[in-house]
């Protein structure tokens, strides 16, 4: 038996989708445990590109069970749209299930997300407007709707009467916005109930059964450690825990069953949305890396902010998640650069910091300390063995391992499955 957690080690979009897809045929089960359709995971299989938001990136393998765990927030409309898209492309989803305990995004959540952002003005977070924060808020406030509620129409109706009164009061009084109609929501969600029914499951026996049979399980992280509600650059974070700990609570798999934690890191750094980003490149080099790396959001299409590899962030991710194994992606994007830089820590008013600071203002104004190394200036896309990488690239990887304190066990040199160098098996 082996249970592997895979987390994003930076601010999301590290290439988790590609790595999950690579590993999914070596496991019996893939479980998503947090986040929602704020995620956008790209898989390129034999030249065919898929973008997954809620559906686990292991879905292309019919023999792999794909589970949406109870820690995920599910927008039923978005889920069904995604399902239709992948069915149109000939992918079967008989291997897919959704936890009855997962909370649902309700129609008022994206509206409140957008209104909340507008209200913040210049201090807005740059959320994806998918209603993720408001849905988790209601979960914590214990007025959320769970996927299993779709199977209990009378209960759903009674609860909605109470909850919608609160929501409509906020919408009309605080935001001067239109209220929602109870019957319209009920009709809409009862239609979803019918289509979702075959996927709704109590995942406890499913997941425990797999553990009991000694099967291999892969926990698919969404977002990244620096977007974690506690460990990230609060308040410029998401509303879940995209960490190894969050993977356990969101799936019901205990920490004692975890065999390994894999962290996916880009060879540089990107961030979508606002918030501090010490190694950000706001010059033409940043624009160049954005173009070469096609750094435009999978979910919202926004241009991603780009910067050098932040070793202080990466080491913090390794240490707070217990990352045993790193996967380094998009190394090919740096192919043409004459030199590459790695941030090893920050300097703030004469103080040296080896990890991200809680104080957002300090984090925003600190000075990153860099080591600069020669670039390799050769195309990497067709390289398949570590030994075949140019010396300067091997040195860059070794320097990252040194700064982060974990081994780089796989290197991605292009978006497709085949563009991968595996140094040591990941699962
Ligand atoms: P995720 O959210 O972590 O799954 O990452 P995204 O899918 O949002 O963003 C990663 C993007 O980089 C996608 O467009 C991938 O197809 C692409 N990608 C992944 N690995 C590589 C790589 O090694 N090189 C290049 N050039 N692109 C890659
Ligand atoms: P994947 O799984 C990158 C960011 C948003 C915003 C902040 C809060 O593809 O790596 P939210 O809508 O979650 O309330 O927005 O979090 N964000 C992501 N950034 N990749 C993601 O997912 C993200 N999911 C949320 O841009 O800054
Ligand atoms: Mg993404």
């Amino acid at each position: 038996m082996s249970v592997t957690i895979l987390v994003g080690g930076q601010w999301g979009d590290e290439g988790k989708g590609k790595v999950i897809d690579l590993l999914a045929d070596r496991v019996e089960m893939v479980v998503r445990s947090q986040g929602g359709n704020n995620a956008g995971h790209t898989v390129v299989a034999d030249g065919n590109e898929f973008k997954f938001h809620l559906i686990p990136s292991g879905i292309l393998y019919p023999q792999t069970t794909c589970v949406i765990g109870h820690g995920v927030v599910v927008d039923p409309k978005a889920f069904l749209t995604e399902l239709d898209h992948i069915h149109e492309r000939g992918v079967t989803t008989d291997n897919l299930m959704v936890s009855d305990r997962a909370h649902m995004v309700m129609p008022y959540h994206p509206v409140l997300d957008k209104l909340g952002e507008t209200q913040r003005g210049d201090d807005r977070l740059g959320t994806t407007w998918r209603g993720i924060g408001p849905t988790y808020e209601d979960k914590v406030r214990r007025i959320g709707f769970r996927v299993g509620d779709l199977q209990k129409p009378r209960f759903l109706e009674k609860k909605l009467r109470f909850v919608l009164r609160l929501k409509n009061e906020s919408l009309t009084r605080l935001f001067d916005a239109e209220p929602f109609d109870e019957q319209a929501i009920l009709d809409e969600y009862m239609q979803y109930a019918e289509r979702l029914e075959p996927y709704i499951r109590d995942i406890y026996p499913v997941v425990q059964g797999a553990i009991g049979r000694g099967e291999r399980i892969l926990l698919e992280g969404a977002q990244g450690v620096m977007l974690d509600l506690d460990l990230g650059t609060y308040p410029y974070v998401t509303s879940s825990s995209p960490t190894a700990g969050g993977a356990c609570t969101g799936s019901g798999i205990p920490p004692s069953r975890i065999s390994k934690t894999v962290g996916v890191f880009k060879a540089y750094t990107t961030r979508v949305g606002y918030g501090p980003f010490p190694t950000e490149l706001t010059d033409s080099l940043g624009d160049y890396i954005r173009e070469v790396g096609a750094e435009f959001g999978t979910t919202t299409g926004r241009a991603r902010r780009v910067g050098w590899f932040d070793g202080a962030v990466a080491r913090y991710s390794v240490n707070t998640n217990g990352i045993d194994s790193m996967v380094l992606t998009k190394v090919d994007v740096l192919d043409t650069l004459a030199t590459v830089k790695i941030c090893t820590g920050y300097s703030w008013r004469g103080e040296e910091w080896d990890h991200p600071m809680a104080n957002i203002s300090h984090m925003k104004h600190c000075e990153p300390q860099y080591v600069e190394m020669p670039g390799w200036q050769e195309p990497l896309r067709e390289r398949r063995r570590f030994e075949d990488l140019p010396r300067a690239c091997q040195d860059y990887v070794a320097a990252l391992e040194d700064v982060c304190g974990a081994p780089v066990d796989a290197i991605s040199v292009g978006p497709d499955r085949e563009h991968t160098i595996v140094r040591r098996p990941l699962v």
Side-chain angles (χ1 to χ4, degrees):
M1 188 217 37
S2 76
V3 182
T4 304
I5 296 177
L6 182 140
V7 294
Q10 295 155 319
W11 275 283
D13 301 326
E14 298 89 350
K16 297 176 294 292
K18 169 177 168 165
V19 183
I20 294 285
D21 166 72
L22 270 179
L23 302 179
D25 72 334
R26 302 161 140 259
V27 299
E28 279 76 30
M29 185 178 281
V30 175
V31 186
R32 264 283 301 266
S33 51
Q34 47 70 228
N37 60 325
N38 49 349
H41 297 176
T42 314
V43 171
V44 185
D46 309 320
N48 300 308
E49 188 178 73
F50 295 86
K51 291 180 186 295
F52 300 117
H53 300 283
L54 272 165
I55 295 176
S57 304
I59 198 70
L60 299 181
Y61 299 97
Q63 75 284 7
T64 304
T65 304
C66 287
V67 177
I68 299 182
H70 50 252
V72 176
V73 289
V74 178
D75 182 332
K77 190 177 178 183
F79 174 78
L80 292 169
T81 306
E82 195 172 335
L83 214 54
D84 288 343
H85 278 146
I86 66 167
H87 286 165
E88 274 165 24
R89 297 185 64 186
V91 178
T92 56
T93 52
D94 301 339
N95 50 335
L96 176 66
M97 60 186 74
V98 184
S99 166
D100 53 2
R101 290 180 168 87
H103 277 246
M104 281 193 291
V105 177
M106 301 298 283
Y108 41 81
H109 288 133
V111 173
L112 287 165
D113 193 355
K114 207 167 174 176
L115 289 169
E117 281 281 89
T118 310
Q119 199 179 44
R120 281 175 183 262
D122 287 346
D123 294 327
R124 66 193 181 281
L125 309 175
T127 73
T128 58
W129 290 352
R130 297 296 186 269
I132 305 302
T135 306
Y136 277 115
E137 262 174 56
D138 282 0
K139 173 178 174 173
V140 173
R141 200 176 159 193
R142 291 164 292 184
I143 56 165
F145 289 86
R146 304 198 294 177
V147 169
D149 294 347
L150 293 174
Q151 296 169 317
K152 301 176 288 180
R154 279 210 297 279
F155 172 79
L156 192 135
E157 186 175 351
K158 189 165 164 237
K159 187 155 76 170
L160 187 63
R161 193 162 306 139
F162 164 69
V163 174
L164 200 58
R165 208 157 40 93
L166 300 176
K167 296 293 157 190
N168 279 341
E169 205 158 297
S170 303
L171 284 163
T172 53
R173 289 204 188 183
L174 292 179
F175 297 108
D176 209 14
E178 288 297 313
F180 276 85
D181 178 65
E182 186 187 314
Q183 194 54 47
I185 296 181
L186 278 175
D187 292 347
E188 184 185 345
Y189 275 61
M190 281 305 108
Q191 278 181 26
Y192 299 150
E194 213 170 294
R195 286 204 58 205
L196 267 161
E197 181 59 34
Y199 299 97
I200 305 175
R201 293 282 280 276
D202 175 2
I203 66 158
Y204 168 76
V206 177
V207 171
Q208 293 302 320
I211 293 174
R213 288 189 298 275
E215 292 179 359
R216 290 159 299 179
I217 301 175
L218 180 61
L219 289 159
E220 170 175 354
Q223 288 81 49
V225 174
M226 294 308 287
L227 289 170
D228 182 84
L229 194 51
D230 293 295
L231 290 165
T233 44
Y234 188 89
Y236 299 96
V237 292
T238 191
S239 295
S240 66
S241 293
T243 50
C248 291
T249 52
S251 64
I253 300 180
S256 57
R257 296 288 187 182
I258 306 303
S259 332
K260 190 171 183 183
T261 300
V262 174
V264 183
F265 295 82
K266 233 173 236 185
Y268 48 97
T269 310
T270 61
R271 169 164 211 173
V272 206
Y274 302 103
F277 181 176
T279 63
E280 184 169 12
L281 288 164
T282 51
D283 54 7
S284 56
L285 180 58
D287 294 339
Y288 174 78
I289 296 175
R290 181 178 307 109
E291 287 304 319
V292 177
E295 295 296 356
F296 298 90
T298 309
T299 298
T300 57
R302 290 178 290 175
R304 295 175 183 151
R305 298 156 67 195
V306 171
W308 292 119
F309 188 92
D310 188 332
V313 157
R315 189 166 49 233
Y316 177 75
S317 289
V318 165
N319 291 335
T320 53
N321 288 271
I323 290 171
D324 306 290
S325 186
M326 293 171 69
V327 179
L328 195 65
T329 62
K330 305 192 86 160
V331 187
D332 56 298
V333 173
L334 307 179
D335 276 357
T336 57
L337 305 187
T339 60
V340 284
K341 287 188 186 179
I342 301 170
C343 165
T344 53
Y346 316 121
S347 162
W348 162 249
R349 291 196 176 158
E351 281 175 29
E352 299 301 317
W353 283 77
D354 68 355
H355 63 277
M357 303 160 226
N359 188 315
I360 287 301
S361 161
H362 295 187
M363 188 72 176
K364 201 169 170 184
H365 299 292
C366 69
E367 256 194 45
Q369 307 296 303
Y370 290 110
V371 289
E372 188 161 11
M373 305 180 66
W376 41 95
Q377 300 188 285
E378 282 181 57
L380 300 186
R381 184 71 51 99
E382 301 312 323
R383 312 291 167 103
R384 295 291 175 268
R385 297 185 323 151
F386 186 72
E387 303 77 63
D388 297 338
L389 291 176
R391 183 83 243 162
C393 184
Q394 293 189 18
D395 289 346
Y396 183 63
V397 173
L400 294 184
E401 289 180 320
D402 204 37
V403 156
C404 300
V408 171
D409 288 335
I411 296 168
S412 173
V413 291
D416 210 294
R417 277 177 188 167
E418 68 184 49
H419 303 140
T420 315
I421 295 169
V422 180
R423 298 171 82 189
R424 285 169 286 269
L426 297 170
V427 295

